[in-house]
Structures are given as C-alpha cells and as structure tokens.
Amino acid sequence: MHVSHTPAAVSAAFDDRSLVAHAGLVSVMRLAERCGLSRLVTEKVKLPRAKNGAGAAADVKVTSIVGGMAAGADSIDDLDVLRHGAMPTVFRGVRAPSTLGTFLRSFTHGHALQLHAVHRRFLGELAARTPLLPGSREKAFIDVDSTHKRVYGRNKQGAEYGRFKGIRTLHPLLATISTPQSRPVIAAVRMRRGKAADSRGAPKFIGEALATAAEAGCAGTRILRADSQFYNAGVIAACRRAGAHFSITTGMNPSVKRAIAAVPDEAWQQITYPTAVPDPETGELVSNAEVAEIPAYTAFASRKKAERVTARLIVRRVRDLAKPAIVGEQGELFPVWRYHPFFTDNPAKTLQAEQEHRHHAVVEQVIADSKASALAHLPSGHFHANAAWITLWAMTYNLLRATGTLASAFHAKATTATLRTHLVQVPARIARSARRITLHLPHNWPWQEAWTRLFDAVHDPPAPAPA
C-alpha cells in the first residue's frame, strides 16, 4: 500500500464539527442505559462530603469513565478522547478529565464498596438482557486469581516491593465467571497492597463472587477453580456455604506426596491432549500424561475436626523432560514424573474433572486483556482512586463482552481490543434532519453486518407506519 498523492498535494485540518471517531459508543452506551447503569450509580454511590462538589452527578461521571474506557482510554488524561467533533451532539454530560480525576480521588473505601455493588447489579442486568453466559443454568465456573501490576510513581499509595524483587507493585484480586460455551466475564475485583498475600481476604471475596454468579443467572452447578495459593480451609468453607463445588490445586505438600505414592500403577489412566503426537509405528498418542484419582482424601488433617474436608484428590502426571530417558549406555531404570494434584468435589468423571480444572487458565486471558487496556496504567497516586478505576474497568469489560454477544458469534468470543477495533472505533459523520440524527459510516466497512446487528439490537424498532 502506498500514499496516493505527493506530499505537496496532501494537507490536514482539524476543523470538521460533524465527525465522531467512535461511533460504536452509541450502541455500547445505549446498552449501558438499558441495563440501568446510570440508575444504579444514582442509587448506590453517594459522596455527599466530597470537596468542591466532586461527588455531584456521580452517574454522569461514571458513565463518562466507562465510555472512555470502552473507546480505549487507559489513563485519566486519555478520557479526553470523548470530547471531540460531534460527540456533544450524540452524548450529553461528557466531563473533562480533570473533573473525572477529582471525582476518583474523592473515593474512600466505603465509596469503593458502593461501586462494587453497582458492578454486581450491572452484571446481573447485562446477563439478563444479553446472551452473555449461555449454559449458565446448567454449569458455570468461577475462577479466582491475583495479579501484580507494576507501578512507577514513587508516591502511589499501597505500592510496595512484594513477590518480584526490586519491582514495586499493587496486587489486585480477580474473579471471573464463564461457562463451557462462553468467554469469561468479571464477577468481582479488589485492589490490594503490593505485599498482600495471594489469599488475603479470599474467603469473603469468593463468597461475594459466588453470590454475584447466582445473581447473573448461574442457577446450575457452580465450580470454583483456583491455584494452590487459595488452597485453604476458609476458601473451601466459603464454597460450601454458597452451595458451590471447588476445584483447587494443592501443590506437593508432604500429605499429598504420601497419598500419590500409594496410588497403584494400574490406577493411572492415559489422557489425550489436542497437541499430542501419534507414534508412527503404533499409532498411539504420545503425550506422556496420565491421571489417577484418590476418591477420599482428607485435607487439613492437622486442623480442628470441623475444618477437615474429605473429597477427591485428582493427580495428573507428566514425564519430566528435564530428566533424559537415556544416560550414557544405561537405559532408564524407571520414569521420572512431575505431578500436578488438585482437590475437588466436582461430581464429573475423573478425566472430565481434570480437563475442566486445566481450563482455569481462562482467567489469565482476562488479566492479559486488562493490561492491554484500562489497566495498562493505574492512573492515580490515591489507593482508593485506583480501586475505583479497576472496578470501572470491570464494568466496562463486561459491557464490551455483552455488546460482542449481540454483534456476532465471532465477536462474542473476541478480545476487547478486537471489539473496540471492529465495533467501537468506527468513524462517522453526523447528519441532522427533522430532529433526527443519522450516522453516516464508512462504505464497505468490513464488520458492517455485525455493527448493524448490534445497533439494531440495542435501539427500539421504528414505530409502525400509520394505516
């Protein structure tokens, strides 16, 4: 591709007041309105003591931040992307970045909890009005994980040297909901200090995430999946109080090692990986992975009797490729394995339960998505402002996922970066006639059909012509 004119024949001028750069926001924010985002903020978020009126019109400020994040803003200054061209014609109440920054800095811990309540109710409305979580009435997975977000500002509250030597971080905790047919959405998110342990506050957080999943329509089997950092009695107790199952990696502690050592050789079952390679002579799949189950393993045996839990211990073992099979002229005396155990009361069969547990990695996709969008930066030096920011990002993420489900089957599982490129960041020229607005979009836009399907889904159909 080459520029069609010489440099002398090309000029530029920022002077068109009828253009918008993000026409897809019309559909995105219309869906947010239909799901009651402004109403929920008005009901739940109260900042009466904020200085200089920073807490006034909280609904307008929250929707401005959500709209900016949906357009791709990853800092407070980037929220200015909403103030251009004909945007004031299409949207009312867009606030300046300085106003939005002051609003976020007025948050306290209590106000952040109010925003969490909005997020929870908003997800329930999105799930009720869009096919956000297909199959949730049969089975849903709630995945919990934490992540470290590196920060560079010396004055950021809560930023500390934690797990990574020489790197100052904040340490958010995240819970997602997914089904076998859907991409994950965010059930809950919490900001924590950099040195916070992975499992700090996990039982209460998991209880909230499981309650949110129920409000979002997950009326069938709910299975909590987590890594070994969350393997503790409090987390499992929270699952049982909520009527949910658990599937948690245990790590190789001495009790687990003894249990695995007692598994007879004939109990191991071969598992099939999608990337396994068939042996050219025998045709057997070479994956060197096997699974066995200990049907009644008692965890936390050293604790009080009420805290002990008996359930299934399922173990996957793979050949340790770091240990060569042939050393010198002597063949391998016995295979060396690496073991990956997890503790579960998932009612599924052994191989299915093991496969479902491995899919816990979907939460990493959400974390990666976040760090490529609104969590590329934690924009404020104030801890609670950043806590509010990540909650607003979670609402925006869920909103974009919902818009994708209304656009097409492809967009229902696309990343939010793809959703912004295909559906949001579409230029349009505004034309007004007879008190109506028409968006004139680019001819031959590759995703025109999906964009139109989304637009039609969130707007009322035209009134029938008079007889």
Side-chain angles (χ1 to χ4, degrees), residues 47-56 61 102-103 106:
L47 294 88
R49 298 182 181 179
K51 297 180 180 179
N52 302 321
K61 293 171 183 175
T102 302
F103 170 67
S106 67

Side-chain angles (χ1 to χ4, degrees), residues 231-238 240 246 248 295-313 343-345:
Y231 176 62
N232 62 64
V235 167
I236 293 176
R240 294 194 159 176
F246 58 85
I248 305 175
Y297 173 79
T298 300
F300 320 117
S302 62
R303 291 178 171 268
K304 295 184 294 185
K305 186 175 181 180
E307 296 181 353
R308 298 172 189 168
V309 181
T310 300
R312 308 163 71 186
L313 183 69
F343 190 53
T344 183
D345 63 351

Side-chain angles (χ1 to χ4, degrees), residues 269-290 319:
Q269 305 177 57
Q270 181 103 12
I271 60 174
T272 302
Y273 286 129
T275 55
V277 179
D279 188 294
E281 296 183 1
T282 66
E284 294 181 356
L285 291 176
V286 180
S287 63
N288 290 323
E290 299 174 347
R319 293 293 298 270

Side-chain angles (χ1 to χ4, degrees), residues 97-108:
S98 58
T99 301
L100 300 176
T102 302
F103 170 67
L104 291 173
R105 289 190 294 273
S106 67
F107 270 67
T108 64

